[in-house]
Amino acid sequence: MAFRSGIYIVPTDRWYIERAVWLIAGGVLLTSTGLALWVQPYWILLVIATGLASITVSLTGFCIVGNILYRLGFKPKLAEETPTPAKWYRIRTDSWYLERRIYLAVGINISIASVLSLVHSPWWLAFTGFVGVAMVWFAATGFCIMANGLYWLGAEPRLAPEAGQCRMARRTTAARTRAA
């Protein structure tokens, strides 16, 4: 991976499946974290289920919430080019692009933090709550600090760059290519 600069922001001009999934998952994380903190610690199992679903999406491309949104008429941006015979929504799994890495990293991190909140300290709920806020923020604004960290480390995004986005990164990469 080549280091780069610039800011990675996903498109927010319309609500596509992946963006809606981030919003829903963020809402689930915030709600279940709050319930685990103030009502019953075992509500954190919903965060673990969300984490396992995120890991499943990254490994197989299949997303339950994405399929529901697909049936409701949302359009995908990361879907496979050729739909499956049953017309299931699946993200592309042909390479480990940036957005797919985010699904895996988020799933692993919130699952571990959830287990730690049960067996070690409820302070780990602060992390799952932070991730929930970050996912809602990502869906609303298109900006995610983890996505930018992966982008700066060289992970290739699929949702951007589009016209006007990541412009500084393209210039920097082009300048490095010419210098080499």
Side-chain angles (χ1 to χ4, degrees):
M1 288 192 287
F3 292 104
R4 60 167 80 108
S5 60
I7 296 177
Y8 169 73
I9 299 177
V10 300
T12 56
D13 56 330
R14 66 181 177 91
W15 283 96
Y16 45 92
I17 290 176
E18 297 81 11
R19 186 175 174 213
V21 166
W22 295 323
L23 181 65
I24 292 166
V28 169
L29 289 178
L30 288 172
T31 303
S32 54
T33 297
L35 289 169
L37 182 62
W38 293 304
V39 178
Q40 169 57 258
Y42 290 117
W43 276 103
I44 205 65
L45 295 175
L46 193 54
V47 172
I48 294 172
T50 304
L52 293 175
S54 185
I55 293 168
T56 301
V57 170
S58 74
L59 297 176
T60 68
F62 182 78
C63 178
I64 295 170
V65 175
N67 275 287
I68 293 169
L69 293 169
Y70 182 71
R71 301 279 188 256
L72 291 174
F74 282 77
K75 301 294 182 211
K77 280 196 173 251
L78 294 175
E80 294 178 342
E81 297 289 326
T82 56
T84 60
K87 296 186 179 169
W88 292 102
Y89 162 77
R90 297 173 60 94
I91 67 167
R92 290 183 223 141
T93 56
D94 57 335
S95 68
W96 282 96
Y97 52 91
L98 186 145
E99 295 84 5
R100 189 172 172 210
R101 292 177 192 199
I102 290 174
Y103 280 112
L104 183 62
V106 166
I108 290 170
N109 287 328
I110 63 174
S111 297
I112 290 171
S114 298
V115 170
L116 287 171
S117 77
L118 288 173
V119 300
H120 183 262
S121 169
W123 281 100
W124 284 99
L125 294 173
F127 181 75
T128 60
F130 168 76
V131 173
V133 169
M135 291 181 82
V136 171
W137 182 260
F138 190 27
T141 66
F143 179 81
C144 172
I145 191 64
M146 182 194 298
N148 274 278
L150 291 171
Y151 180 74
W152 295 328
L153 288 173
E156 290 299 324
R158 290 266 170 102
L159 291 177
E162 290 180 353
Q165 295 180 349
C166 303
R167 187 175 299 136
M168 183 186 298
R170 283 196 302 254
R171 282 192 217 134
T172 305
T173 305
R176 284 188 196 139
T177 305
R178 278 179 274 173

